[in-house]
Amino acid sequence: MKKILTSVFLVLLALSTYAQESKSYRFSLEDCLRFAVANSYDRKSMELTGESLETTYEQSKQQRLPNLSASVGESFNNNANGWSTSGSVGVGTSVTIYQGGQINNTIAQNKLNLDRNSVQLERYDDQLTLQILQSFLTILGNQELLNYQLEVLKTSREQMKQGEARYKVGAILESDLLLLEAQYYSDSNNVVDTRINIGNDLLDLKVLLSMEPTDNLEIISPDTENLENLRETLPTEEETVSLAMDYMPDLRIGEYDIRLAEKSVDLARGGYFPSINANANVGMGVLSFDQSGNSQWYGKPTESVGVSMSIPIYSRGQTKANVKKSRIALQQAELEYEQTQLSVRQTVVQAYRNVISAYNAYRVSQVREDAYRKSFAAYNVQFQYGTITTVDLLQQQNSYLNALNNYIQNKYSLVMKRKILDVYMGKQITL
């Protein structure tokens, strides 16, 4: 008994610790997006990359300034008079006056890299938004399906009880009763499967949010009954394409790639130009000691100022090759940008037409679901009065379930496809 009590205590302690470590969240779609942006590990990594690029940019601006260095020397000598030591100190500085524009071009290139990373961060946010939206809508669809399935399960249970009563008085055959029981257990299994799917969908959403799998997450269902606004607020195809072409991060990244390639050409061409540097040095004198401990200064403090020029004459074709390769890279960047423009335009047009198609499919499935739901209700009443067979009832019920599944899928497919367009146009995503 003592061992049993100890085991129970340890289990309760473990459960208590688990409950204390787990957190609970109740999120709308907007809450999910904010949480993901704040906690995404990939996003934090990209932010760190941005900090590194900013450091590189700030440091490159310092290259315009002169440097400053100090020197200290100490030597030991052995001659006819014995051992002696001597030391020296000095300060020197140098500055680049001209280097074929290399410093300015490097600064501009580093700034472009920094800005490009910011656009890459926007693209990542858009991709993460689409993934979270898909996962969120999948959960909503399964939750709505579960509510309908629970209603159908309740009806199936009542049908089975009625069948048992009618079978006892000989109103139906045993085969009819078995069909009713099989339908009930099938509907029960559908409920279990949908609940499992919701649990798995929530786990997938937690991964996208960088949330602990043990945390409790409940999503807030928005009002999705009136989807007419999704169609009414849809701009024209031309307006949609125009807005997307102005916003899409892929296009802006392509523009930065072209500008970076142009700077690479300028940097390569800088190898043709001479570089001019100025320098200045001040010597602070030399102090010596002999083995008897006597010390003396010898030599005078020196000052020097100079200008040097390095002129490239022959680099074994290296500079010419660098310029040619950088120009080829520029042409490639321009071609990739044109290809991206075409791809983005095609993607947006296709997405726009998918919305139109999804809306039409939703409207058809909505009418069909309503018709089959009312028909199933009528068949259920007729079955209660014994005017139709069990087979007729179950066929109508299965037709209703198929129409219901189709309606829910089309409903959330429309929402997803419409919101994809909003992402492409750079609009804030809300439900």
Side-chain angles (χ1 to χ4, degrees):
M1 178 63 69
K2 185 176 180 181
K3 291 182 178 180
I4 294 175
L5 291 176
T6 301
S7 299
V8 171
F9 174 76
L10 292 175
V11 170
L12 292 175
L13 180 62
L15 291 175
S16 175
T17 303
Y18 172 83
Q20 292 176 0
E21 292 178 352
S22 300
K23 299 178 182 178
S24 297
Y25 301 94
R26 189 169 183 269
F27 280 173
S28 64
L29 174 64
E30 293 80 1
D31 295 329
C32 289
L33 296 176
R34 284 192 292 268
F35 189 91
V37 167
N39 295 277
S40 170
Y41 295 112
D42 290 337
R43 196 178 195 281
K44 289 179 180 179
S45 178
M46 295 181 69
E47 289 175 344
L48 291 175
T49 299
E51 292 181 15
S52 177
L53 291 172
E54 184 174 8
T55 301
T56 301
Y57 168 62
E58 293 297 333
Q59 190 277 329
S60 65
K61 291 193 294 184
Q62 303 296 317
Q63 297 302 309
R64 293 193 180 110
L65 304 177
N67 64 6
L68 180 65
S69 61
S71 62
V72 178
E74 184 74 19
S75 63
F76 298 86
N77 306 295
N78 186 16
N79 50 36
N81 297 323
W83 287 96
S84 64
T85 64
S86 62
S88 64
V89 295
V91 177
T93 183
S94 64
V95 62
T96 300
I97 299 176
Y98 179 73
Q99 201 177 24
Q102 301 290 67
I103 294 178
N104 289 338
N105 287 326
T106 299
I107 293 172
Q109 190 178 59
N110 290 336
K111 182 63 166 64
L112 289 172
N113 278 319
L114 176 60
D115 294 341
R116 185 183 186 278
N117 184 76
S118 298
V119 181
Q120 284 183 308
L121 197 58
E122 290 184 42
R123 180 172 64 179
Y124 174 79
D125 288 344
D126 287 349
Q127 293 170 345
L128 182 61
T129 296
L130 290 175
Q131 291 177 310
I132 292 174
L133 179 62
Q134 177 69 64
S135 181
F136 193 90
L137 291 177
T138 300
I139 295 171
L140 288 181
N142 281 329
Q143 287 182 339
E144 185 170 337
L145 178 62
L146 178 62
N147 292 334
Y148 283 112
Q149 287 176 336
L150 290 173
E151 293 179 6
V152 172
L153 179 62
K154 181 180 178 181
T155 302
S156 295
R157 185 184 298 110
E158 294 173 353
Q159 292 170 352
M160 186 176 65
K161 290 180 179 180
Q162 292 173 3
E164 291 172 349
R166 295 177 64 184
Y167 172 71
K168 288 179 181 180
V169 299
I172 63 173
L173 300 174
E174 182 181 9
S175 59
D176 291 331
L177 177 60
L178 293 176
L179 287 175
L180 290 173
E181 290 177 347
Q183 185 64 47
Y184 170 74
Y185 289 116
S186 176
D187 293 337
S188 299
N189 187 63
N190 290 338
V191 169
V192 173
D193 287 344
T194 302
R195 282 176 170 159
I196 292 174
N197 290 336
I198 291 174
N200 291 334
D201 295 337
L202 284 170
L203 185 59
D204 292 339
L205 182 57
K206 291 176 187 178
V207 172
L208 293 173
L209 301 182
S210 298
M211 184 182 292
E212 290 294 331
T214 56
D215 290 341
N216 298 313
L217 176 61
E218 177 186 356
I219 66 172
I220 302 173
S221 299
D223 181 13
T224 57
E225 292 303 318
N226 183 17
L227 299 183
E228 301 298 328
N229 289 335
L230 294 179
R231 179 67 179 89
E232 294 172 356
T233 58
L234 184 66
T236 66
E237 183 176 305
E238 293 75 15
E239 291 173 337
T240 302
V241 173
S242 177
L243 290 171
M245 296 297 286
D246 290 338
Y247 168 74
M248 287 290 278
D250 286 347
L251 292 174
R252 287 182 283 153
I253 289 174
E255 292 172 354
Y256 277 112
D257 288 339
I258 291 176
R259 294 168 63 185
L260 283 166
E262 290 172 344
K263 286 301 173 185
S264 294
V265 173
D266 293 337
L267 284 168
R269 290 179 67 250
Y272 288 126
F273 298 93
S275 61
I276 303 174
N277 296 278
N279 59 79
N281 295 279
V282 177
M284 304 302 292
V286 180
L287 184 65
S288 66
F289 295 86
D290 58 25
Q291 61 181 1
S292 62
N294 297 322
S295 63
Q296 66 176 352
W297 287 92
Y298 66 92
K300 295 180 179 180
T302 59
E303 298 176 355
S304 65
V305 177
V307 176
S308 63
M309 176 184 293
S310 175
I311 303 174
I313 298 176
Y314 179 64
S315 61
R316 297 187 296 273
Q318 185 65 51
T319 301
K320 182 179 180 180
N322 290 340
V323 172
K324 185 175 181 179
K325 288 190 291 185
S326 61
R327 284 176 174 165
I328 292 173
L330 173 58
Q331 292 175 344
Q332 290 175 329
E334 291 172 341
L335 287 174
E336 289 175 3
Y337 179 71
E338 292 177 4
Q339 178 61 46
T340 302
Q341 279 186 312
L342 179 60
S343 177
V344 167
R345 190 176 291 107
Q346 291 174 337
T347 299
V348 175
V349 169
Q350 184 64 53
Y352 186 91
R353 295 174 183 177
N354 286 342
V355 173
I356 304 299
S357 177
Y359 178 77
N360 293 333
Y362 160 72
R363 291 292 294 155
V364 171
S365 63
Q366 185 182 39
V367 173
R368 190 167 179 266
E369 185 275 335
D370 183 63
Y372 274 98
R373 176 170 49 82
K374 292 177 180 178
S375 178
F376 171 59
Y379 268 66
N380 195 43
V381 173
Q382 294 177 37
F383 177 74
Q384 293 175 9
Y385 287 100
T387 58
I388 61 171
T389 66
T390 302
V391 173
D392 292 335
L393 173 67
L394 296 182
Q395 286 179 345
Q396 193 63 28
Q397 179 171 326
N398 288 329
S399 296
Y400 167 61
L401 289 175
N402 290 333
L404 175 63
N405 286 329
N406 186 253
Y407 164 70
I408 292 176
Q409 290 176 4
N410 287 334
K411 176 181 178 179
Y412 288 99
S413 176
L414 171 60
V415 177
M416 181 67 194
K417 291 175 180 178
R418 178 63 180 85
K419 293 304 176 181
I420 287 175
L421 273 188
D422 285 343
V423 172
Y424 289 167
M425 292 185 289
K427 294 184 177 181
Q428 185 177 1
I429 304 302
T430 58
L431 285 178

